[in-house]
Amino acid sequence: MDERSVYKSIGREENLTGISRRVAQISVSAIKQMPVLARNVPDAVSLGQGIPSFGTPAFITEAVCEALARDERIGKYSLQPGLPDLKIEIARYLKRKKGVDADPDRELFVSCGAMEALAAGIATVVERGDEVLIPTPNYASHIEQILFAEGTPVYVPLLEEQGWRLDVDGFRKSVSKKTKAIIVCNPMNPTGAVFSRKDVLEIAQLALEKDLFVIADEAYDFLVYDNQEYLSFASIPEVKDRLIGTYSFSKMYCMTGWRVGFMYASSRIIDQVLKVHDAFAICAPTISQYAALAALRATNGKDGEGDRFIENLVHALDTRRKLACSRLDSLEALFSYQIPKGAYYVFPRIIGTPLNSMDFALKLLYEAQVISIPGNGFGPSGEGHIRFSFGGTEDEINTAFDRIHEWARINL
Ligand SMILES: Cc1ncc(COP(=O)(O)O)c(C=O)c1O
């Protein structure tokens, strides 16, 4: 059984009769499958899916309730590229955060989460046989999105011992005549790496030299620790014509269920991506666009309620990061790990058992009642690792690590 069919086998039996090759070859990512399996494990505690424990803040939900009471447009389709007022606020946000002058009318579209923006962007530029360079390990859905577009993912291993650094030379050596794009997720899921300014600029340079698109997944761009410098691809004017930048409200405002994000790209690209958006979604949920508008209106880059919320969120997640790291330190016979610098994931190497990542994750689930995500769901060099999210509460993190400790004491 190959790696991909392992994932299929933990879901429902598949009957692929009549199913297109395009769809038959892709899978639901392990990130989503493990919580589904865990439904049958009473009292399981999660270090699995990347959902922060906090609810959507009141300054967003109250604005939506008010709009529901007085504005019937909230229950209707919005304009297909998104609410014009929201796009104006997004452009202001991009200017403030990244120094970008985005034309709200032509260079932005509001998507059903960053996920739809990524899928639509990849489908727009990648076609059958095109190669797309991605780091490995990497966010699992990028792999499925490339395959869905009938492209070929070409994996470039990250440099684990250098804090999961980008191997720019490896990227350069992997370019072929068929290479169409590079996908970079920064800050990174699943490793928690934040790529250096130098490496980001070198990837941008490579894209320019080799005429490649840069697909930047920057869903965690607000979540960087230890004052680490962060360079967004959107802030590099030279790549603008080849950039597909995707962003999310999910993590920054604890809005994972609202399904709203956006894309920043040149008008040439946005015009094409909107065809895909129309075919798959028509528009992002209008109610969620109202929520995103309230979120950005409360965020002014200084002392707005949104700014305070984000600051507290980053602070709380930093505390949880330190807690998760200290718990990992006391499991040094089982794991070795690189300290995460961004997002809310850590991706330890499993050193204390010969189990592969899937078997290990299943044992943690069924024997320790801890949900985790096996590393082999994140591309070839994910094997031998496990992804833990520290988005949960400190209590959840402590309970999960207590259980792993106990499991290791009995089994190793
Ligand atoms: C790296 C990365 N990109 C994109 C997404 C999807 O974001 P959204 O909820 O905005 O679709 C996630 C969600 O976990 C993610 O981790």
Side-chain angles (χ1 to χ4, degrees):
M1 203 185 272
D2 73 12
E3 226 172 60
R4 300 181 59 73
S5 54
V6 171
Y7 288 105
K8 293 183 174 177
S9 72
I10 65 171
R12 277 189 289 272
E13 262 314 296
E14 288 191 297
N15 177 348
L16 296 176
T17 314
I19 303 302
S20 71
R21 198 184 66 88
R22 210 175 39 250
V23 169
Q25 59 163 349
I26 67 175
S27 349
V28 175
S29 77
I31 301 173
K32 321 294 183 330
Q33 292 204 26
M34 290 303 284
V36 173
L37 283 186
R39 277 194 318 191
N40 301 321
V41 179
D43 193 31
V45 60
S46 185
L47 297 177
Q49 207 172 353
I51 303 178
S53 63
F54 308 94
T56 306
F59 64 86
I60 297 176
T61 54
E62 282 166 9
V64 170
C65 290
E66 209 177 291
L68 274 168
R70 69 169 163 74
D71 187 347
E72 63 175 29
R73 286 174 304 177
I74 197 169
K76 300 189 158 87
Y77 296 129
S78 73
L79 288 181
Q80 193 244 357
L83 290 174
D85 285 354
L86 174 56
K87 294 203 297 167
I88 289 169
E89 285 300 332
I90 292 172
R92 286 193 183 128
Y93 167 80
L94 286 176
K95 178 73 184 170
R96 218 168 42 232
K97 276 286 283 191
K98 301 177 193 286
V100 172
D101 284 307
D103 176 343
D105 244 5
R106 307 211 47 208
E107 295 175 342
L108 296 172
F109 101 90
V110 183
S111 56
C112 305
M115 192 67 115
E116 191 229 351
L118 282 160
I122 291 171
T124 299
V125 299
V126 175
E127 59 192 325
R128 181 175 295 180
D130 282 348
E131 293 180 356
V132 181
L133 305 188
I134 56 172
T136 176
N138 191 51
Y139 182 51
S141 298
H142 299 160
I143 303 170
E144 308 305 329
Q145 289 164 339
I146 296 166
L147 292 172
F148 182 73
E150 300 190 272
T152 306
V154 174
Y155 299 103
V156 184
L158 291 167
L159 304 170
E160 177 171 0
E161 296 311 321
Q162 295 179 43
W164 295 111
R165 189 180 161 190
L166 275 175
D167 180 5
V168 179
D169 269 353
F171 273 90
R172 186 170 284 283
K173 286 185 189 128
S174 303
V175 175
S176 79
K177 285 200 177 66
K178 293 185 184 165
T179 310
K180 190 68 175 288
I182 301 179
I183 301 187
V184 177
C185 173
N186 188 28
M188 215 201 181
N189 178 359
T191 63
V194 175
F195 301 127
S196 71
R197 181 183 184 85
K198 175 172 174 289
D199 289 348
V200 168
L201 285 171
E202 285 186 13
I203 292 287
Q205 180 59 34
L206 179 64
L208 283 170
E209 271 171 39
K210 304 288 182 186
D211 192 20
L212 309 175
F213 286 104
V214 176
I215 300 169
D217 178 348
E218 301 187 349
Y220 299 94
D221 58 356
F222 70 101
L223 195 46
V224 174
Y225 309 109
D226 300 336
N227 295 318
Q228 172 113 352
E229 192 183 12
Y230 173 74
L231 179 64
S232 165
F233 277 101
S235 306
I236 309 173
E238 292 80 359
V239 291
K240 175 164 177 184
D241 288 345
R242 55 191 69 251
L243 176 67
I244 296 180
T246 62
Y247 303 89
S248 177
F249 289 90
S250 289
K251 319 285 173 168
M252 189 157 67
Y253 295 104
C254 297
M255 288 174 59
T256 52
W258 296 78
R259 312 307 305 124
V260 59
F262 63 93
M263 176 185 290
Y264 165 62
S266 66
S267 59
R268 176 180 92 86
I269 301 288
I270 293 283
D271 286 349
Q272 300 306 312
V273 173
L274 282 175
K275 298 179 190 172
V276 186
H277 178 55
D278 190 31
F280 276 76
I282 303 179
C283 63
T286 308
I287 189 168
S288 305
Q289 295 192 58
Y290 274 68
L293 182 58
L296 288 183
R297 281 189 172 154
T299 312
N300 59 14
K302 300 192 293 277
D303 51 6
E305 233 174 322
D307 300 275
R308 288 201 301 276
F309 177 79
I310 295 166
E311 198 182 313
N312 290 338
L313 178 66
V314 174
H315 181 74
L317 289 168
D318 191 16
T319 305
R320 295 173 189 190
R321 172 181 74 122
K322 288 173 180 146
L323 173 63
C325 289
S326 80
R327 298 298 312 248
L328 283 167
D329 288 338
S330 63
L331 282 164
E332 62 182 359
L334 185 53
F335 300 118
S336 71
Y337 72 100
Q338 304 293 318
I339 297 173
K341 296 289 184 181
Y344 38 74
Y345 308 102
V346 58
F347 201 60
R349 177 178 281 279
I350 307 161
I351 54 173
T353 154
L355 292 170
N356 68 32
S357 62
M358 172 56 91
D359 289 344
F360 183 59
L362 291 176
K363 280 199 180 287
L364 286 188
L365 176 61
Y366 292 117
E367 296 176 7
Q369 289 82 45
V370 174
I371 308 172
S372 61
I373 310 294
N376 68 342
F378 298 94
S381 35
E383 185 47 273
H385 299 79
I386 191 110
R387 193 193 78 174
F388 293 137
S389 159
F390 48 87
T393 64
E394 288 176 42
D395 266 0
E396 285 166 334
I397 295 168
N398 274 322
T399 306
F401 277 103
D402 287 347
R403 291 180 185 182
I404 296 172
H405 233 284
E406 185 56 12
W407 180 88
R409 191 184 62 76
I410 295 168
N411 291 283
L412 301 181

